[in-house]
Every structure is written in structure tokens, then in C-alpha cells.
Amino acid sequence: MRPCQPDLRCAITKMPFIYNILFCSLHFIQAERLSPSFVSAPNFSFFFLYSHCWRLDRHNSLHLSSNLEGFVEKREEMEIDLGKNAFDIDFHPSRDLITAGLIDGNLHLYRYSANVKPQRLLKVRAHTESCRAVRFINDGQAIVTCSPDKSILSTDVETGSAIARLEDAHSAAINRLINLSEATIATGDDEGCIKVWDTRQRTCCNTFAAHQEYVSDMFYASDSMKLLGTSGDGTLSVCNLRRNKVQAQSEFSEDELLSVVLMKNGQKVVCGSQTGTLLLYSWGCFKDCSDRFVDLSPNSVDALLKLDEDRIITGSENGLISLVGILPNRIIQPIAEHSEYPVERLAFSHNRKFLGSIAHDEMLKLWDLDELLQDSGKTQTSQDAVADGDSDEMDLEISHPKINKGTKRKSESKGTDLNSSGSFFADL
């Protein structure tokens, strides 16, 4: 057998490390047995030098992996194992408390603090079916929840006891709930009906037959007293609370609208969709979108959270949480990865110190928002420098296979009885 030639050495260096060692060892043993000329100083030097380099590189790789693991642990040190998938979360308006509504109908309440493991304070069997939405009300003294069982429940934060329950609040399963003010909330059901409730007077104030299918999200424009709604029927609705009517509705889009926020000082409405496209509507011109942003495709945008007038935080089907700029439209930076499962909901703590996220992995994660934004700023500066140097290069778009998420489409709305709900918490 001939001594190892330079071309063979080059081929060896391109092989995976474990195969290199096996290959060199076998090559050395066979050469020693078949050809004493192989056992020469150059070949010995090459073999032992290569083995030493592999061990050194292996040591550095392990050291780098441990550093990366520590970095991930630092990012995800505040994790809560809920035991079941969660549909919604909400932070207390003034205290370090967070609540979660679970798929099994339970309501959880946790106390959190920096560098301390979160502590569960309450576990309440709120509904017979899943708890789809949760919100703190009355300055954080109570938690209101809703469910496919068509009921709305108010729970005391301190004791966990039920303050009151309204059965058959909607004629269909309730899917979404948001705060409008300290004393009013809005709920949306699977048949497209939106209702506004006064939690102090315990009455239904407004009812809107806004959509033909389930209400996926809502956003309240307090200055104009308009309630924006998105639906699985692919439309955006604008409900006028003063006039108690659906003031405007967009044309049907190509896919389901899942989330909505108001940006640019009330001038732009941004909707997340099933295909990952962000649809931008100009205020007052709701018939058709004025712009489309497709860089998040093909992963659906299930959650939108407004950071400021120019930036939003998105939660996508691939588990990524991203910082996105609006007009100019751009992905500033993916700031976190919750998991490989779709992000269901995002929320800010009362002081905006933490960002909360839930996905289809039974985990509630609390992220240090300052850390996320600082890292995104550093990365953006680096990207700008690279872009200036490589501005003439071709941009490549990589498409990923779309995960079939299914649909929540329901049958056409059968109308709404304005008096069906009666007074809110009538049994109180």
C-alpha cells in the first residue's frame, strides 16, 4: 500500500471528524502491516497532528455548545409548565401576576418575579369546556373568562371563588374576549356575533352581527369608539359603539384573518392572516387593503402585539416571535423562538418588563423584553452594515413547506337575539 499522498490528505480533511479518525486509523494499521515505508516521519507527523487538531476542535465545539445552552437557558429561565395547552393569557394591570386559560377549562393564576421561579396562586375549574379567553377586570380585582359552553365567568383574584356566572351569554361558542375600558369588555363568538358588556352595570350594551364565521380577534380604537374585528370569513369589521351598528366591513380576502392591531397613530390597521401575509388597511378605507407584507409567509400570523406606532411583535405558526416594522414594512429581527409549535398569544406585563407567550406546547414563557429589544438592535446594526457592503448581491427567498393547520370555519350565522343575554351577572 502506498504512503498517504497529499490528494488523499485533502480528501480526508473534508470528511466528518469521526470518519476521519476511523479512516486514518485503519489506513495507518493496514499500511504498517503491508508497507513499512508508510511508517515514516512525515506520515506519523500528519496522523498525530491531525488527531491533535481534531481533539482541539472537538473541545472548542463542546465549549461553544455549552455557552449556547447557557444563553438559551438565560433566555428561557422563566418558564411555567401549565400541564395543558393554553388558549389565552393576560397580565395584571398593576401587580406581577399573570393568568392563563387552559384547554381543559381550568383557570391558572401565577405570581412572577425576575430570577425567581413563578408561583401558582390559583387553579380554578372555570368552565365545563375549554377556557378560550381571559382578562383582568375592575382594576385587577377579578378575572373574567369565556368558553365554548357559551358562559362568561367572573372570578375573584384573591380567593378564587366565583363572583358570578352568566349562562348563554351568546347563542354560539365564545371565542374571543378583550378589554375596552375599566368597566367594559367585548366578546366574539363562533358565528360572528360581537357583544359589548358593562361589567359594573352587568348588562349587554351593544350587539353586532359583524361576521359570518368565528371572530378571531378584536382591537378597540378608544379615540373614535370603534371596535375592530377579524374573522375566519376573511373580513375586517368596524363596529361603531355610539351608533350601535357595523359601520364598515372589508371585502372578503383570500384567507382567514387571525389577528388585528391599530398602528401609525390610528391611520393604519394591520391584520395577520392564515397564509402569513400582513394586510394593511388605511383608516376610513376599509373595503380593500392598501398594502400587503408577505415576508412572514407561509407561516400563519396568529398573534399581533403593538410595541409602538411603528413596530409590532408577531407570533407565527413556526414558533418564532419576530419584531416587524410597519411602513417601511420589514422584519427587523426574529427576537425569540417559543418552540416549534404555533404561537397562540402574546402579552405585555403591566410595566412592559416582560413579554409573555404561549404556544401549543403547554408552556408559558416570560421573556425579558429589554434583553430581546437590545439584541434586536445590535443585530439590526450588523445587518445594516452588511447590507451596505453587499447591496449589489441578489436577494434569495427561501420558502418552507406549509404546515396544515386546519380551519375553525363554522356554519353561517343564524342571527342574534339582542335580549337573549339579559343582564350581566344577573345572579350576583
Side-chain angles (χ1 to χ4, degrees):
M1 187 172 184
R2 293 182 303 166
C4 186
Q5 298 299 322
D7 57 340
L8 181 57
R9 297 175 188 180
C10 294
I12 292 175
T13 59
K14 296 180 182 179
M15 298 172 64
F17 285 125
I18 187 63
Y19 294 114
N20 288 338
I21 296 302
L22 293 175
F23 181 84
C24 289
S25 301
L26 293 174
H27 195 74
F28 180 81
I29 294 172
Q30 291 178 357
E32 185 179 19
R33 179 172 3 107
L34 299 177
S35 176
S37 63
F38 180 80
V39 191
S40 59
N43 290 320
F44 265 121
S45 300
F46 166 72
F47 177 72
F48 288 111
L49 177 61
Y50 187 81
S51 300
H52 175 72
C53 291
W54 180 85
R55 288 193 299 270
L56 180 61
D57 188 85
R58 174 65 173 169
H59 171 75
N60 292 336
S61 298
L62 292 175
H63 180 68
L64 178 60
S65 298
S66 63
N67 288 340
L68 288 176
E69 290 175 359
F71 178 75
V72 172
E73 289 176 358
K74 181 179 179 181
R75 280 290 187 90
E76 300 181 356
E77 61 183 355
M78 294 191 66
E79 294 185 349
I80 302 173
D81 187 354
L82 300 172
K84 298 289 183 179
N85 285 343
F87 276 116
D88 200 10
I89 56 173
D90 192 37
F91 284 91
H92 193 278
S94 59
R95 298 166 59 186
D96 293 340
L97 301 175
I98 185 171
T99 183
L102 307 186
I103 193 172
D104 60 358
N106 283 327
L107 170 69
H108 288 191
L109 179 66
Y110 295 88
R111 177 185 289 117
Y112 63 89
S113 180
N115 302 320
V116 177
K117 183 179 179 180
Q119 176 187 3
R120 190 173 74 188
L121 303 179
L122 292 177
K123 179 181 179 181
V124 178
R125 179 64 175 176
H127 298 276
T128 57
E129 298 185 41
S130 61
C131 184
R132 286 190 181 176
V134 295
R135 284 295 181 273
F136 283 97
I137 60 171
N138 298 340
D139 297 325
Q141 299 178 23
I143 303 172
V144 63
T145 58
C146 61
S147 170
D149 63 15
K150 307 177 186 178
S151 69
I152 299 176
L153 172 69
S154 178
T155 303
D156 187 271
V157 169
E158 299 298 333
T159 65
S161 60
I163 298 175
R165 182 189 300 271
L166 175 63
E167 302 290 351
D168 297 323
H170 281 249
S171 60
I174 307 174
N175 186 60
R176 197 76 176 98
L177 181 153
I178 66 167
N179 292 105
L180 304 187
S181 67
E182 292 182 359
T184 54
I185 61 173
T187 54
D189 66 29
D190 280 356
E191 292 184 350
C193 178
I194 295 176
K195 290 187 177 185
V196 178
W197 306 88
D198 188 321
T199 59
R200 292 178 180 173
Q201 298 296 326
R202 305 183 182 100
T203 57
C204 179
C205 308
N206 307 88
T207 302
F208 306 96
H211 298 279
Q212 297 180 5
E213 296 191 23
Y214 73 97
V215 177
S216 57
D217 198 10
M218 292 177 286
F219 189 94
Y220 181 54
S222 57
D223 294 341
S224 59
M225 291 191 67
K226 303 290 195 310
L227 180 60
L228 307 174
T230 53
S231 171
D233 62 14
T235 64
L236 166 70
S237 66
V238 182
C239 300
N240 190 320
L241 301 190
R242 288 194 181 99
R243 298 182 180 181
N244 194 28
K245 71 174 186 178
V246 180
Q247 179 174 313
Q249 192 161 21
S250 70
E251 296 178 351
F252 292 93
S253 61
E254 297 177 355
D255 57 343
E256 303 174 21
L257 301 185
L258 305 177
S259 47
V260 58
V261 291
L262 185 62
M263 304 288 292
K264 296 293 182 180
N265 298 306
Q267 298 303 309
K268 290 292 181 180
V269 179
V270 182
C271 300
S273 69
Q274 180 81 19
T275 59
T277 301
L278 295 182
L279 305 181
L280 277 65
Y281 294 85
S282 297
W283 187 265
C285 304
F286 298 107
K287 282 297 180 183
D288 196 9
C289 63
S290 60
D291 198 3
R292 293 173 180 263
F293 180 61
V294 300
D295 287 10
L296 294 170
S297 299
N299 299 290
S300 65
V301 180
D302 299 320
L304 291 177
L305 189 61
K306 179 179 177 179
L307 180 63
D308 52 40
E309 297 300 332
D310 302 314
R311 297 176 298 172
I312 57 177
I313 298 176
T314 65
S316 298
E317 184 182 30
N318 58 1
L320 287 181
I321 302 172
S322 303
L323 184 63
V324 176
I326 300 298
L327 296 178
N329 302 329
R330 68 198 188 282
I331 299 178
I332 298 175
Q333 177 67 21
I335 57 177
E337 183 178 10
H338 183 101
S339 66
E340 61 183 2
Y341 299 101
V343 176
E344 183 74 20
R345 200 74 67 207
L346 301 170
F348 288 132
S349 62
H350 65 94
N351 54 5
R352 288 206 171 192
K353 173 65 176 175
F354 294 102
L355 170 69
S357 65
I358 53 172
H360 298 174
D361 61 350
E362 303 181 358
M363 301 298 296
L364 166 58
K365 296 187 179 182
L366 302 179
W367 310 86
D368 188 313
L369 187 60
D370 292 335
E371 179 185 330
L372 297 182
L373 296 181
Q374 286 174 3
D375 290 345
S376 69
K378 294 176 183 177
T379 306
Q380 180 63 22
T381 302
S382 176
Q383 288 177 344
D384 292 341
V386 173
D388 292 339
D390 299 335
S391 58
D392 296 333
E393 294 184 2
M394 181 182 298
D395 292 333
L396 299 179
E397 181 176 351
I398 302 176
S399 298
H400 301 282
K402 175 70 171 154
I403 300 175
N404 184 10
K405 185 181 179 181
T407 179
K408 292 177 63 179
R409 292 184 178 272
K410 304 292 181 180
S411 59
E412 186 175 355
S413 177
K414 300 178 181 178
T416 306
D417 184 1
L418 298 182
N419 299 320
S420 62
S421 58
S423 63
F424 190 43
F425 301 152
D427 56 339
L428 179 62

